[in-house]
């Protein structure tokens, strides 16, 4: 069909004009290319996410755990690639595509703001979770992150090891890279793009998509079953911010969500008190306590002095051996029950002390471990002793608004809290923090000695707890050795100071004629929990050095020798032991522990909780230790609390089902137990606890 003259004329003119005007694609900016430039900023958090998953699978033994759970010695290439599917799909395809389309429609300042804000926020979060993974073996919730920032603020000198770590460096480089990429993208946003450059960008994009698709196809040949490690690190890092009270594995595809939801939703509060007690005894394999005439009432009317060793593992003070470098601890072993296999319930001081003075396991929850909760109060022990005329007081050098020790002491029933004027509010913030920390401990010791002397001269019976902080990390010793051997030597040198303080107290009791009328309880609140305290710690596990602590109960009227307790004991057993020694019989049904001399403890199931800190809980029964590692949803079994990937049991085995069921039941039972048997804290609700200061 022919063209009209006018149409032919227009085409001729257009052709001539197009020859005179440069190609539009070469004369103005290509919006798709400008949008793609902003993707350079996203590449840094994307790579950081891949690095996080790599650390998870290598440094944190993810590959080894998965192979062990599948009954394999190692994973093949396809199986290894399958764990990176989420990072590739989200980090290299979906999120870049979203930004490409979004930035195509936004002006360059808004593209920089949106892409930059998202990339910076995610890079910072990934960096924090990377540090958490390296330090604790798990991701952290928002509550845990805020706790970490608070501790970092109060202990600035301990920040150096984190800020100089490879993980912090990778995060810093990612943030710098994002800023540089955004500056480059904004500067070139209006630059003209030639057809050749546009073609190069298009080819690079197609090649990238092809490579990612090829890797994804290769990973699809994997036979590895879905596991928590398949969850992409971006979503997991974000969702962990609020997944603190539920079992983390419930968020992952391919798992039994009904089962994992049980720990978060189970409610046993409908059970009566007797039914709860029966359920606990059935779960723990313990019988109702019996009176042992060898010891019951042998210390009736005695005083009690608690000497609580901060952050002290059993390997630093191996009770039951010749403690020649600690003459006063060694002296105390005479006429003492020596707990050679004593374990804390929780590797955080407040929760551990709650177990000691209540005979209950703590609630396995971040709010109870780190915040200032309305602590449960029991009617046993301190309130019982207060009611019969005992003077009860806690002597502590640590008094800080953000550390709710005072609320705990109130809940436990101490009628008086004693702090020196030199009490510390943090561990290492002041320029002379080392001298200040030791001085606060010494001032607290002198307060204790003065009060004990007054009580004894007045004929008062007493329960006093001394909580020196000299052994808390970082050590105030002016030394810098940071290997495990160096830290043990430094820790034992610190213990020599505490040994001398114990000697002063023994001499005072001897002078006032009360040494043989005083039960002296020495124990570690918990062991070593972080890499700064123990570089060899098995992160994210119920580790021996975090839970195994020394225990001495000096009972001079009950014993004329040193009585070693060879079976495993727990902090929940201290109150029953002391009340038996004092001869108390009534209103003790809610105790979860048993006197440590009871041989039935050898057959008990004893629990260890650390979910808020390590992302794992566990227990020991019949000579075996078991652990549920929530982060990987792996179940471990070993003859000691030293878990390696080779200790993983098949996830669908009867052992795995028993472990998850027992731990889930115990966590639910403990919540119901606290609701059922707790009472209002007298000190905080009925009458304020007296607070003494050095004058």
């Amino acid at each position: 069909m022919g063209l009209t003259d006018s149409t032919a004329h227009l085409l001729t003119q257009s052709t001539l004009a197009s020859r005179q005007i440069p190609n539009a694609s070469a004369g103005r900016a290509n919006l798709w290319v400008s949008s793609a430039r902003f993707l350079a900023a996203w590449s840094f958090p994307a790579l950081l996410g891949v690095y996080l998953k790599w650390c998870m699978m290598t440094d944190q033994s993810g590959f080894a755990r998965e192979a062990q759970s599948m009954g394999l010695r190692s994973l093949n290439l396809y199986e290894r690639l399958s764990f990176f599917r989420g990072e590739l799909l989200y980090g290299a395809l979906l999120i870049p595509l979203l930004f490409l389309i979004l930035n195509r429609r936004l002006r360059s300042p808004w593209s920089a703001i949106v892409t930059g804000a998202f990339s910076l926020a995610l890079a910072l979060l990934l960096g924090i979770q990377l540090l958490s993974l390296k330090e604790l073996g798990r991701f952290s919730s928002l509550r845990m992150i805020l706790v970490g920032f608070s501790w970092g603020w109060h202990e600035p000198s301990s920040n150096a090891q984190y800020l100089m770590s490879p993980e912090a460096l990778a995060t810093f480089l990612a943030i710098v890279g994002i800023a540089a990429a955004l500056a480059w993208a904004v500067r070139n946003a209006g630059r003209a793009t030639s057809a050749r450059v546009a073609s190069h960008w298009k080819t690079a994009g197609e090649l990238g998509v092809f490579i990612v698709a090829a890797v994804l196809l290769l990973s699809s040949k994997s036979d590895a079953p879905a596991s928590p490690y398949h969850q992409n690190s971006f979503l997991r890092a974000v969702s962990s911010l609020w997944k603190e009270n539920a079992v983390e594995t419930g968020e992952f595809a391919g798992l039994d969500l009904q089962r994992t939801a049980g720990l978060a939703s189970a409610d046993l509060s409908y059970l009566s008190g007797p039914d709860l007690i029966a359920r606990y005894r059935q779960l723990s394999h313990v019988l109702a306590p019996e009176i042992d005439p060898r010891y019951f009432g042998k210390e009736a009317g005695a005083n009690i002095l608690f000497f609580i060793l901060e952050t002290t593992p059993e390997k630093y003070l191996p009770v039951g051996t010749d403690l020649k470098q600690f003459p006063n601890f060694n002296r105390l072993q005479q006429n003492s029950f020596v707990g050679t296999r004593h374990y804390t319930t929780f590797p955080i001081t407040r929760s551990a002390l709650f177990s000691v003075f209540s005979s209950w396991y703590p609630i396995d929850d971040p709010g109870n471990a780190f915040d200032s909760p309305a602590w449960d109060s029991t009617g046993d022990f301190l309130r019982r002793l207060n009611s019969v005329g005992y003077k009860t007081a806690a002597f502590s050098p640590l008094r800080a608004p953000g550390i709710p020790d005072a609320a705990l002491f109130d809940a436990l029933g101490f009628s008086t809290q004693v702090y020196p004027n030199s009490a510390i509010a943090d561990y290492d913030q002041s320029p002379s923090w080392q001298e200040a920390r030791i001085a606060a401990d010494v001032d607290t010791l002198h307060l204790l000695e003065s009060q004990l002397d007054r009580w004894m001269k007045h004929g008062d019976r007493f329960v006093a707890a001394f909580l020196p902080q000299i052994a808390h990390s970082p050590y105030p010793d002016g030394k810098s050795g940071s290997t495990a051997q160096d830290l043990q030597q430094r820790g034992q040198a610190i213990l020599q100071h505490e040994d001398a303080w114990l000697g002063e107290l023994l001499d005072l009791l001897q002078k006032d004629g009360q040494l043989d009328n005083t039960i002296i309880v020495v124990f570690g609140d918990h062991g070593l929990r972080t890499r700064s305290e123990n570089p060899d710690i098995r992160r994210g596990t119920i580790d021996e050095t975090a839970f195994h602590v020394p225990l001495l109960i000096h009972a001079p009227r009950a014993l004329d020798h040193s009585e070693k307790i060879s079976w495993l004991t727990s902090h929940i057993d201290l109150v029953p032991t002391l009340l038996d020694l004092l001869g108390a019989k009534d209103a003790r049904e809610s105790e979860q522990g048993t006197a440590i001399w009871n041989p039935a403890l050898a057959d008990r199931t004893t629990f260890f909780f650390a979910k808020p800190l390590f992302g794992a809980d566990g227990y020991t029964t019949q000579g075996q230790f078991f652990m549920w590692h929530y982060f990987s949803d792996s179940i471990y079994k070993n003859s000691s609390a030293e878990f390696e990937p080779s200790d993983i049991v098949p996830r669908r085995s009867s052992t795995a089902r028993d472990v998850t069921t027992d731990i889930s039941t115990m966590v639910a039972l403990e919540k119901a137990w606290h609701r059922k048997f707790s009472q209002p804290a007298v000190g905080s609700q009925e009458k304020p606890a007296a607070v003494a200061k050095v004058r």
Side-chain angles (χ1 to χ4, degrees):
M1 181 172 59
L3 297 174
T4 63
D5 291 342
S6 60
T7 302
H9 178 71
L10 283 173
L11 287 175
T12 302
Q13 294 298 318
S14 298
T15 301
L16 291 174
S18 65
R19 290 174 181 172
Q20 296 174 4
I21 300 175
N23 190 301
S25 63
R28 58 186 173 86
N30 186 304
L31 296 180
W32 288 110
V33 172
S34 296
S35 177
R37 286 193 181 102
F38 285 98
L39 296 183
W42 164 251
S43 66
F44 291 96
L47 290 173
L48 196 59
V50 173
Y51 177 57
L52 176 59
K53 177 59 72 69
W54 177 256
C55 292
M56 199 185 304
M57 303 309 296
T58 55
D59 183 66
Q60 299 296 313
S61 304
F63 287 137
R65 284 180 173 138
E66 287 297 306
Q68 183 71 19
S69 66
M70 295 168 61
L72 303 174
R73 296 186 62 182
S74 63
L75 301 176
N76 61 36
L77 176 63
Y78 306 126
E79 290 162 340
R80 288 173 181 260
L81 287 176
S82 71
F83 295 101
F84 293 87
R85 276 198 295 251
E87 285 71 31
L88 292 173
L89 182 62
Y90 281 81
L93 287 182
L94 296 182
I95 294 178
L97 178 61
L98 177 63
F99 274 133
L100 185 65
I101 296 173
L102 182 63
N103 291 335
R104 169 67 173 76
R105 299 180 175 277
L106 296 175
R107 295 181 180 274
S108 62
W110 281 108
S111 295
I113 292 172
V114 172
T115 307
F118 186 84
S119 299
L120 284 169
L122 189 58
L124 184 60
L125 176 60
L126 290 172
I128 291 172
Q129 300 292 26
L130 184 58
L131 282 169
S132 178
L133 186 69
K134 289 281 188 175
E135 185 68 26
L136 302 175
R138 61 162 295 176
F139 285 175
S140 290
S141 66
L142 179 60
R143 187 192 301 262
M144 282 284 292
I145 291 172
L146 294 177
V147 168
F149 280 130
S150 176
W151 276 104
W153 177 262
H154 289 291
E155 298 184 45
S157 67
S158 64
N159 293 334
Q161 63 175 319
Y162 302 112
L163 296 178
M164 299 303 294
S165 66
E167 298 76 38
L169 178 61
T171 306
F172 174 74
L173 291 177
I175 292 174
V176 171
I178 291 169
L182 290 174
W184 171 74
V186 170
R187 187 172 62 251
N188 290 279
R191 179 173 295 182
T193 306
S194 67
R196 182 180 179 183
V197 171
S199 176
H200 288 168
W201 276 94
K202 180 181 178 182
T203 301
E206 291 171 345
L207 180 61
V209 171
F210 175 78
I211 293 173
V212 171
V215 175
L216 290 174
L217 286 173
L218 288 175
S219 71
S220 67
K221 299 184 68 175
S222 167
D223 294 326
S227 80
Y229 286 116
H230 284 97
Q231 177 77 353
N232 84 70
S233 54
F234 308 118
L235 290 181
R236 193 169 188 184
V238 173
S239 64
S240 292
L241 292 176
W242 61 85
K243 297 262 186 182
E244 62 181 5
N245 291 320
V247 175
E248 282 83 348
T249 52
E251 69 197 74
F252 304 118
L255 299 178
D256 184 352
L257 300 185
Q258 284 297 111
R259 175 185 61 75
T260 55
L263 183 55
S265 60
D267 184 2
L268 300 180
S269 60
Y270 66 90
L271 293 175
S272 66
D275 287 341
L276 274 175
I277 293 171
R279 182 73 67 91
Y280 169 74
R281 289 176 179 167
Q282 179 185 25
L283 181 62
S284 299
H285 304 104
V286 294
L287 301 175
E290 297 180 356
I291 290 177
D292 189 329
R294 294 177 299 167
Y295 308 118
F296 190 85
K298 294 299 176 67
E299 297 285 348
N303 308 306
I304 303 176
L305 174 62
F306 290 92
F307 195 116
I308 302 170
L309 304 173
E310 172 68 40
T311 317
T312 302
E314 186 273 343
K315 71 176 185 177
Y316 284 14
L317 186 64
V319 294
T321 65
D322 184 8
L323 303 175
K324 57 185 178 182
Q325 69 182 116
F326 309 114
N328 295 297
F329 288 124
N330 206 31
R331 169 188 174 190
L332 199 67
Q333 290 193 115
Q334 305 170 24
N335 311 105
S336 288
F337 296 99
V338 181
T340 59
R341 299 186 63 208
H342 187 74
Y343 285 72
T344 186
T345 56
F346 203 105
I348 293 178
T349 297
R350 287 182 290 280
S351 296
L353 293 182
F354 178 83
S355 291
V356 167
F357 290 98
S358 69
S359 187
W360 295 357
Y361 287 107
I363 290 180
D364 191 26
D365 177 86
N368 283 268
F370 300 111
D371 289 348
S372 301
W375 285 95
D376 295 337
S377 169
T378 69
D380 295 330
F381 196 51
L382 289 177
R383 282 177 176 74
R384 177 195 297 267
L385 299 182
N386 285 332
S387 69
V388 295
Y390 274 77
K391 306 296 185 181
T392 62
F395 295 78
S396 173
L398 178 64
R399 195 176 188 199
I403 302 176
D405 290 349
L408 173 63
F409 295 148
D410 280 344
L412 295 176
F414 284 103
S415 60
T416 304
Q417 298 177 36
V418 183
Y419 305 90
N421 276 335
S422 58
I424 57 174
D426 50 69
Y427 287 106
D428 65 349
Q429 193 169 15
S430 65
S432 58
W433 65 270
Q434 298 187 23
E435 296 84 354
R437 179 115 68 90
I438 296 173
D441 278 353
V442 172
D443 288 345
T444 306
L445 174 66
H446 292 162
L447 273 176
L448 172 61
E449 291 170 338
S450 298
Q451 186 61 70
L452 290 179
D453 193 48
R454 287 194 293 271
W455 281 335
M456 289 186 289
K457 284 182 168 53
H458 194 262
D460 293 323
R461 293 177 295 174
F462 61 82
V463 177
F466 177 44
L467 300 96
Q469 296 297 306
I470 188 173
H472 195 287
S473 177
Y475 291 147
D477 58 359
K479 299 179 181 179
S480 59
S482 58
T483 66
Q485 183 177 0
D486 290 338
L487 289 169
Q488 179 163 347
Q489 291 174 350
R490 294 173 62 191
Q492 290 180 320
I494 292 288
L495 273 170
Q496 289 179 329
H497 286 279
E498 295 180 294
D499 181 78
W501 297 342
L502 176 62
E504 290 187 30
L505 294 171
L506 295 178
D507 291 343
L508 175 63
L509 292 170
Q510 182 75 54
K511 178 178 71 72
D512 285 343
Q514 290 295 308
L515 182 58
D516 290 337
N517 190 42
T518 302
I519 303 171
I520 302 174
V521 186
V522 176
F523 66 91
D525 58 350
H526 54 74
L528 311 175
R529 306 156 298 176
T530 64
R531 285 192 299 166
S532 62
E533 295 171 350
N534 176 19
D536 298 332
I537 193 171
R538 299 167 185 84
R539 287 157 291 175
T541 71
I542 303 298
D543 192 73
E544 177 76 7
T545 58
F547 283 82
H548 192 181
V549 295
L551 171 67
L552 295 172
I553 301 180
H554 183 68
R557 298 210 308 259
L559 288 173
D560 59 4
H561 61 282
S562 179
E563 182 73 20
K564 289 186 181 180
I565 305 299
S566 59
W567 42 78
L568 189 143
T569 58
S570 169
H571 277 353
I572 62 172
D573 300 321
L574 297 190
V575 159
T577 300
L578 296 172
L579 289 178
D580 272 16
L581 288 170
L582 294 175
K585 291 183 179 180
D586 301 327
R588 296 179 54 184
E589 294 80 9
S590 69
E591 291 173 4
Q592 293 183 331
T594 302
I596 63 172
W597 52 71
N598 189 340
L601 286 174
D603 299 320
R604 181 180 67 182
T605 297
T606 303
F607 289 86
F608 314 106
F609 296 107
K611 181 173 179 283
L613 189 62
F614 296 152
D617 291 328
Y619 62 82
T620 181
T621 188
Q622 298 179 350
Q624 296 292 315
F625 286 79
F626 300 88
M627 180 182 70
W628 186 1
H629 185 254
Y630 298 118
F631 189 79
S632 63
D633 196 29
S634 300
I635 308 301
Y636 291 71
K637 175 184 177 181
N638 196 15
S639 59
S640 64
E642 298 173 327
F643 297 105
E644 302 290 351
S646 58
D647 300 319
I648 293 175
V649 301
R651 190 61 184 83
R652 299 184 184 278
S653 66
S654 60
T655 297
R657 287 194 298 273
D658 290 344
V659 171
T660 55
T661 298
D662 289 347
I663 291 177
S664 299
T665 303
M666 186 62 200
V667 170
L669 187 146
E670 204 58 36
K671 292 178 181 178
W673 193 283
H674 283 230
R675 286 193 293 267
K676 184 70 67 176
F677 296 114
S678 65
Q679 301 176 13
V682 174
S684 60
Q685 296 187 21
E686 296 183 16
K687 60 176 182 178
V691 178
K693 289 190 175 184
V694 176
R695 300 296 179 188

